[in-house]
């Protein structure tokens, strides 16, 4: 298979005379792909219905002559002024009711029919023009779908969406509990958008609004996909997503109709106040993106220099660009595309640096990218198509995510952070993890399924999880699971609601803590007996109903009560953690839990990440020293190291930010 390596290229930003130099320098870097055109609408369609592809054809052909294929973005993320100013109702309206103005990007209303028609037209023109182009391999829809629009058109669309979903107003009123504060709706037209109101909206409305907005983008994208598939059937289709952290669109839904998932990965960013890079966050991003389609993915934008708009973040250290890019490949990327080729001299992103600086000459970062290109030319094709194989899954629920956005329960609680706190201990042990949705049909392939705060829970999902445990699986459920039904209404049973039986426990009481409060959890079992962890944010007093307590609180009125339990259910077991601890707490829990269910990581020194990709009988181990110090790593049996091309064995000294790619025999 082909491994794709390249950059995001904007020939329209540079003098024509420069293009040839760019193509040559890219070829020398081992590039075989670029992404282009995702912001070039005004150049492709300077006036309504008047198209100009000549410049892009020339760029594609020039690059092709240097062995470089093209991914083309549909340019709908940044519409031309002529389109938007012709009808200002195309601008999205923010939550506060203020309509956006022209001047940035992603300012459009995804529902607007005129906007959709303009999108259809440019997408169709591109698809027709490039349908048979041998060097255009794929299309990317739009770029980073996102943002909510609260305009009247979206409101009307929301009312239609609700009508489809509930059928009758009676059903909707019942589900949302609109009798509260006399909200009972008598006409569909009375239902508001989730715009700012005096205080907060009904939780049922909020969850449905978020689902609706997500569906709206999925639907808008589908229109582009339908056109692309009809007019350019041979081309692959992808979208550029925003990793694990972006939480306004259901990424399982958005990626379902795509041929492959792609995302953008930035580590040293100007909005962070920390200089330390936490690559475990990036690992979660890669794992999430791979898991959307359970297939190799691309990084369509990989950091290539200091990030920045008005201020500039610290420069990536020597070796970091390469180590970070290898991390993506280790987690299953079959395409690695740097953003961007050359730092732009104008526009909002003047200081978002590319592989090349503004001056365009080869410097340190370019040489690093060249080195990696030469390495990948040797073995990229060999690893492409292989996949990390995980025995552990984490359930990512958009209903829970959306539910917590409106009601975090505790102001210090963040679903994403909690999810990450549970992920981190696995990552540290080099345990491979898949990220699955509630719709995952094949849980039985996993030894462990982790269910972080499944706040909104359907009967179907509760059933799936119980059956998984009954058949022998191990489940870890955390606090505030099973609290809500699908209409975002609180259940009328003891918590964890529909998971009470499988977990063999009930929540006797819960306590939400102020930032200056804490408690402690003491573990009571086997090897972790006596270990303690500090606890903030949330504590549940658990009453086992068949389960065994494995940890208790030591402070405040909860002292002595159970905090974490384990239950034998069918052939499996279910752990219920009535706490939202940080990584350390879960780390201790894993220390005890993982060995007994046969989940094994890969031992490696501190700061060294090891990830395996497999295919057929073939295994590749990526060993990445993310630390700034040399690390010793032991290779038990002789293996081929693909970067150096040499067979290696025994104790290896891995310099800082160095990488090994081992092919197992
Ligand atoms: C995103 C976008 C790019 C660019 C970069 C840098 O990932 O997709 O177009 O804006 O960020 O800001
Ligand atoms: Zn709108």
């Amino acid at each position: 298979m082909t491994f794709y390596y390249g950059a995001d290229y904007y020939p329209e930003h540079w003098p024509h005379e420069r293009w040839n130099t760019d193509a040559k320098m890219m070829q020398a870097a081992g590039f075989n792909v670029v992404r282009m055109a995702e912001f070039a609408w005004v150049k492709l369609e300077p006036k309504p219905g008047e198209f100009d592809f000549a410049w892009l054809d020339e760029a594609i052909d020039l690059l092709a002559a240097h062995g470089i294929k093209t991914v083309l973005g549909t340019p709908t993320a940044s519409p031309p002024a002529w389109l938007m100013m012709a009808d200002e109702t195309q601008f999205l309206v923010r939550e506060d009711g203020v309509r956006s103005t022209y001047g940035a990007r992603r300012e459009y209303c995804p529902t607007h029919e005129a906007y959709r028609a303009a999108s259809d037209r440019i997408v169709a023109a591109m698809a027709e023009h490039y349908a048979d182009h041998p060097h255009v391999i794929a299309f990317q829809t739009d770029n980073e779908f996102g943002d909510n629009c609260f305009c009247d058109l979206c409101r009307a669309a929301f009312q239609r969406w609700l009508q489809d979903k509930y059928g009758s107003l009676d059903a909707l009123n019942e589900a949302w509990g609109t009798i509260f504060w006399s909200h009972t709706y008598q006409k569909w037209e009375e239902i508001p958008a989730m715009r700012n109101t005096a205080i907060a909206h009904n939780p049922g409305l909020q969850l449905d609004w978020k689902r609706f907005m997500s569906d709206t983008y999925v639907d808008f994208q589908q229109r582009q996909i339908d056109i692309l598939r009809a007019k350019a059937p041979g081309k692959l289709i992808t979208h550029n997503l925003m990793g694990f952290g972006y939480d306004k669109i259901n990424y399982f839904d958005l990626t379902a109709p795509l041929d492959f998932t792609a995302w953008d990965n930035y580590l040293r960013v100007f909005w962070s106040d920390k200089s330390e890079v936490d690559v475990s966050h990036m690992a979660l991003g890669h794992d999430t993106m791979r898991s959307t389609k359970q297939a190799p993915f691309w990084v369509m934008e990989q950091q290539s220099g200091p990030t920045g708009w008005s201020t500039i973040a610290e420069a990536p250290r020597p070796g970091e660009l390469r180590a970070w890019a290898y991390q993506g490949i280790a987690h299953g990327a079959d395409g690695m595309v740097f953003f961007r080729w050359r730092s732009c001299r104008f526009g909002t992103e003047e200081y978002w640096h590319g592989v090349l600086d503004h001056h365009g000459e080869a410097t340190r970062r370019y040489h690093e990218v060249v080195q990696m290109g030469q390495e990948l030319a040797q073995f990229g094709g060999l690893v492409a198509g292989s996949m990390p194989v995980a025995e552990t899954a984490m359930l990512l629920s958009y209903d829970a995510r959306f539910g917590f956005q409106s009601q975090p329960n505790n102001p210090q609680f963040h679903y994403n952070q909690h999810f990450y706190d549970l992920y981190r201990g696995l990552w540290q042990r080099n345990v491979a993890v898949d990220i699955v949705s509630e719709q995952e049909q094949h849980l039985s392939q996993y030894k462990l399924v982790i269910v972080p705060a499944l706040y909104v829970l359907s009967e179907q999902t509760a059933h799936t999880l119980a059956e998984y445990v009954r058949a022998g699986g191990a489940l870890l459920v955390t606090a505030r699971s099973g609290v809500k039904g699908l209409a975002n209404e609180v259940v009328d049973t003891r918590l964890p609601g529909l998971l009470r039986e499988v977990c063999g426990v009930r929540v006797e009481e819960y306590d939400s803590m102020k930032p200056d409060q804490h408690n402690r959890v003491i573990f009571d079992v086997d090897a972790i007996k006596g270990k303690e962890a500090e606890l903030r944010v949330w504590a549940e007093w658990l009453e086992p109903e068949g389960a065994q307590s494995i940890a208790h609180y030591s402070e405040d009125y909860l002292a002595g009560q159970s905090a974490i339990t384990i239950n034998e259910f069918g052939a499996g077991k279910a752990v219920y953690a009535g706490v939202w601890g940080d990584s350390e707490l879960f780390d201790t829990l894993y220390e005890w839990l993982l060995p007994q269910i046969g989940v094994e990581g890969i031992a490696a020194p501190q700061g060294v990440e090891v990830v395996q990709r497999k295919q057929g009988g073939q295994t590749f181990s990526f060993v990445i020293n993310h630390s700034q110090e040399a690390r010793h790593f032991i290779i038990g049996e002789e293996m081929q190291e693909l970067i150096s091309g040499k067979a290696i064995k025994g104790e290896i000294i891995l310099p800082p930010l160095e990488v090994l790619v081992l092919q197992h025999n």
Side-chain angles (χ1 to χ4, degrees):
M1 282 185 71
T2 307
F3 186 92
Y4 286 100
Y5 187 64
D8 299 297
Y9 185 43
Y10 303 90
E12 70 275 22
H13 295 172
W14 302 102
H16 186 250
E17 310 83 77
R18 169 73 192 196
W19 293 8
N20 203 31
T21 307
D22 285 336
K24 277 197 194 142
M25 288 177 82
M26 289 185 193
Q27 184 172 29
F31 285 7
N32 57 3
V33 76
V34 291
R35 180 195 60 181
M36 296 197 286
E38 83 278 11
F39 299 119
W41 196 340
V42 79
K43 217 165 148 62
L44 295 171
E45 190 181 6
K47 297 210 171 90
E50 257 177 47
F51 298 101
D52 176 10
F53 291 108
W55 66 276
L56 187 55
D57 293 347
E58 194 190 332
I60 295 171
D61 291 343
L62 171 67
L63 291 159
H66 291 80
I68 298 168
K69 304 276 187 202
T70 292
V71 174
L72 283 179
T74 67
T76 45
S78 59
W82 64 250
L83 169 62
M84 298 306 282
M85 299 315 287
D87 176 357
E88 295 193 33
T89 63
Q90 295 174 103
F91 287 105
L92 67 74
V93 170
R94 287 190 290 263
E95 206 163 347
D96 59 4
V98 175
R99 199 176 282 283
S100 171
T101 188
Y102 196 73
R105 63 176 177 185
R106 301 225 60 80
E107 298 144 346
Y108 67 86
C109 163
T111 299
H112 203 289
E113 264 314 316
Y115 192 81
R116 286 181 166 222
S119 155
D120 292 351
R121 191 171 61 203
I122 183 69
V123 173
M126 285 178 89
E128 275 164 22
H129 191 83
Y130 292 107
D132 301 316
H133 200 300
H135 300 298
V136 173
I137 54 169
F139 284 101
Q140 172 190 303
T141 58
D142 201 285
N143 188 61
E144 296 185 327
F145 280 122
D147 298 328
N148 276 227
C149 177
F150 300 85
C151 79
D152 290 338
L153 296 166
C154 285
R155 176 184 165 182
F158 179 46
Q159 292 160 352
R160 290 193 297 275
W161 184 94
L162 291 170
Q163 212 164 341
D164 272 357
K165 175 167 178 172
Y166 291 101
S168 74
L169 279 167
D170 284 349
L172 175 141
N173 283 316
E174 172 72 24
W176 287 2
T178 54
I179 189 60
F180 188 78
W181 286 349
S182 271
H183 288 170
T184 304
Y185 297 108
Q186 293 166 349
K187 292 186 188 139
W188 294 101
E189 299 73 47
E190 292 168 352
I191 301 171
M194 202 188 74
R195 263 197 208 173
N196 287 357
T197 182
I199 29 172
H201 281 281
N202 175 302
L205 180 143
Q206 299 194 55
L207 179 54
D208 273 336
W209 173 268
K210 286 163 193 280
R211 290 167 171 152
F212 153 73
M213 252 306 138
S214 176
D215 283 2
T216 300
Y217 279 105
V218 171
D219 179 65
F220 178 60
Q221 172 176 261
Q222 191 60 47
R223 255 170 94 137
Q224 295 203 353
I225 292 173
D226 290 345
I227 294 168
L228 293 169
R229 296 240 186 263
K231 295 191 184 289
K235 308 299 182 199
L236 300 173
I237 304 178
T238 188
H239 176 69
N240 184 31
L241 292 87
M242 291 176 270
F244 172 77
Y246 189 77
D247 54 8
K248 294 189 178 61
I249 297 180
N250 184 323
Y251 274 173
F252 294 109
D253 294 346
L254 191 71
T255 52
L258 299 174
D259 294 305
F260 65 96
T261 294
W263 77 292
D264 40 41
N265 182 23
Y266 298 102
L267 296 95
R268 288 194 183 278
V269 283
F270 67 87
W271 57 83
S272 160
D273 51 12
K274 294 202 190 81
S275 63
E276 200 185 318
V277 175
D278 190 343
V279 289
S280 63
H281 277 103
M282 296 307 131
L284 174 55
H286 291 304
D287 285 348
T288 308
M289 295 295 99
R290 181 192 70 247
S291 298
T292 54
K293 296 195 75 69
Q294 287 289 14
F297 60 96
W298 285 31
V299 180
M300 198 60 96
E301 298 183 13
Q302 173 73 19
Q303 182 166 354
S304 63
T307 63
W309 286 345
S310 54
T311 60
I312 302 172
E314 74 280 18
R317 279 22 197 173
E320 282 188 338
L321 297 182
R322 176 172 166 272
W324 295 341
Y326 271 120
Q327 184 191 25
I329 299 172
H331 284 266
D334 273 4
M336 187 54 61
V337 181
F338 290 102
F339 184 92
R340 44 188 285 149
W341 170 240
R342 178 171 170 187
S343 321
C344 197
R345 296 182 42 238
F346 34 73
T348 312
E349 300 194 341
E350 280 173 8
Y351 293 127
W352 201 285
H353 293 72
V355 175
L356 302 183
D357 285 322
H358 301 94
H359 54 66
E361 288 174 23
T363 55
R364 161 172 85 80
R365 298 196 307 277
Y366 175 73
H367 295 304
E368 198 169 312
V369 166
V370 171
Q371 181 197 336
M372 186 164 177
Q374 287 164 350
E375 292 162 2
L376 285 170
Q378 303 306 311
F379 70 88
L382 194 61
V383 299
S386 62
M387 280 279 284
V389 178
E391 291 176 337
T392 298
M394 292 184 67
L395 195 149
L396 173 60
S397 161
Y398 278 87
D399 277 348
R401 226 178 190 183
F402 292 162
F404 281 125
Q405 284 166 7
S406 315
Q407 295 175 304
N409 285 242
N410 180 301
Q412 301 169 79
F413 179 71
H414 302 284
Y415 178 79
N416 286 3
Q417 178 64 39
H418 178 57
F419 199 100
Y420 167 76
D421 286 339
L422 284 153
Y423 175 83
R424 189 177 166 84
L426 301 168
W427 178 81
Q428 265 169 342
R429 292 173 168 78
N430 297 304
V431 169
V433 182
D434 283 345
I435 310 299
V436 299
S437 77
E438 284 109 323
Q439 273 67 51
E440 175 60 53
Q441 297 300 314
H442 305 289
L443 288 184
S444 60
Q445 66 187 303
Y446 300 109
K447 288 181 178 165
L448 173 64
V449 174
I450 298 173
V451 177
L454 190 51
Y455 187 50
V456 178
L457 175 64
S458 71
E459 280 179 26
Q460 180 58 49
T461 302
H463 178 77
T464 306
L465 295 175
E467 288 314 300
Y468 161 73
V469 179
R470 197 190 301 280
L475 189 69
L476 166 59
V477 177
T478 70
R480 299 310 274 160
S481 290
V483 175
K484 299 263 194 147
L486 286 181
N488 210 9
E489 82 294 9
V490 180
V491 300
D492 61 0
T493 54
R494 303 295 289 254
L495 299 181
L498 295 169
L499 296 174
R500 179 179 174 185
E501 192 193 344
V502 62
C503 293
V505 71
R506 73 166 187 273
V507 177
E508 189 59 26
E509 271 193 38
Y510 50 75
D511 195 12
S512 179
M513 292 184 251
K514 291 277 190 220
D516 64 352
Q517 280 183 301
H518 73 276
N519 205 315
R520 293 188 82 72
V521 158
I522 303 182
F523 288 89
D524 299 314
V525 279
D526 312 323
I528 57 171
K529 194 173 171 71
K531 284 206 176 189
E532 297 188 18
E534 194 179 71
L535 180 75
R536 296 183 177 275
V537 187
W538 194 266
E540 293 177 352
W541 156 6
L542 305 182
E543 281 297 336
E545 297 176 331
Q548 179 205 344
S549 178
I550 54 179
H552 69 273
Y553 299 102
S554 66
E555 292 179 15
D556 200 3
Y557 77 106
L558 293 175
Q561 303 298 353
S562 177
I564 307 176
T565 58
I566 187 164
N567 189 41
E568 310 272 335
F569 182 83
K573 26 187 139 206
V575 175
Y576 184 84
V579 293
W580 283 337
D582 56 16
S583 304
E584 270 92 286
L585 187 149
F586 295 116
D587 196 45
T588 307
L589 183 61
Y590 291 149
E591 199 184 313
W592 173 76
L593 181 65
L594 300 185
Q596 55 172 300
I597 56 176
V599 170
E600 276 176 56
I602 302 168
Q606 178 78 18
V608 175
E609 181 177 12
V610 185
V611 190
Q612 295 189 331
R613 289 180 66 155
K614 299 183 182 182
Q615 188 170 41
Q618 189 69 258
T619 298
F620 304 98
S621 287
F622 289 75
V623 182
I624 306 168
N625 181 4
H626 291 290
S627 79
Q628 294 290 345
E629 287 150 38
R631 295 282 191 245
H632 294 241
F633 187 80
I634 297 174
I635 299 172
E637 47 186 287
E638 184 175 287
M639 292 190 210
Q640 193 68 14
E641 200 286 310
L642 298 175
I643 294 179
S644 62
K646 296 194 178 111
I648 56 173
K649 187 181 175 200
E651 186 171 348
I652 308 294
I653 297 174
L654 202 54
L657 296 165
E658 231 352 301
V659 180
L660 302 173
V661 182
L662 303 169
Q663 182 175 20
H664 296 226
N665 291 320

